[in-house]
Amino acid sequence: MMAGLKALTIAILLAGSTGASLAACPQELAVYTEAYDGRSALEFVADTRKPDIHQHFRLLLRGAKPYSGTVELQESGTRSLGRIDGMWSGAIYAVQSDGSVTPLKKRGSKAAQSIILSDLSYTLNRHKFADGTPVLPVFDLYHLTGCQE
């Protein structure tokens, strides 16, 4: 009984520290995993050569090479537009920890809790992949699961 309680306490402490480190993660170092079953991921890449309204990320699909993506915050600041290697373009929304939906923030901002890439799964399921058929995302929702340091 005591060993089980000790293991549970350690697990809770580790989960708390992971949550704290994710809470402090800047958007440009965030890693997201697809919400449905984790078969695809988004990995943001810090690129300071571009203005801070530009973000870069990679779409990771099993069985396929990584695909490069970009996010650009519109001048009005009301929405973010994303593109992935000529295969997809659309709005990207950030879901904050309080549940509000906003445009993705500038580089240096706190990472969003989740990201929605509108119609990504629909578009990719119709794309012809030259290197075989990778496992495609089921949903357009990705949750923050890591932070590159």
Side-chain angles (χ1 to χ4, degrees):
M1 174 83 173
M2 192 60 139
L5 183 58
K6 184 177 179 181
L8 179 60
T9 302
I10 291 171
I12 291 170
L13 290 173
L14 288 175
S17 67
T18 301
S21 65
L22 289 181
C25 186
Q27 187 62 58
E28 66 271 16
L29 297 177
V31 177
Y32 294 88
T33 304
E34 183 201 357
Y36 180 71
D37 63 6
R39 295 187 299 174
S40 63
L42 302 172
E43 182 180 82
F44 277 75
V45 181
D47 184 354
T48 57
R49 296 173 296 167
K50 301 271 185 179
D52 65 354
I53 61 169
H54 292 272
Q55 300 267 357
H56 294 272
F57 65 92
R58 297 183 317 156
L59 172 65
L60 307 173
L61 301 169
R62 283 191 214 154
K65 66 179 179 75
Y67 292 94
S68 296
T70 58
V71 181
E72 182 177 345
L73 182 64
Q74 298 299 291
E75 285 185 29
S76 65
T78 58
R79 71 180 197 169
S80 305
L81 295 178
R83 290 180 183 76
I84 298 175
D85 276 349
M87 298 186 300
W88 170 84
S89 64
I92 295 182
Y93 301 99
V95 181
Q96 305 302 331
S97 56
D98 66 358
S100 63
V101 178
T102 66
L104 199 64
K105 303 295 184 196
K106 293 180 181 181
R107 199 172 53 235
S109 300
K110 178 180 150 188
Q113 200 66 37
S114 298
I115 293 181
I116 300 168
L117 287 84
S118 61
D119 291 331
L120 175 67
S121 57
Y122 175 83
T123 302
L124 291 183
N125 280 312
R126 281 146 187 75
H127 183 76
K128 304 256 189 256
F129 289 92
D131 53 354
T133 305
V135 176
L136 299 173
V138 177
F139 288 147
D140 299 333
L141 178 65
Y142 288 79
H143 293 306
L144 181 65
T145 55
C147 187
Q148 306 168 67
E149 298 199 28

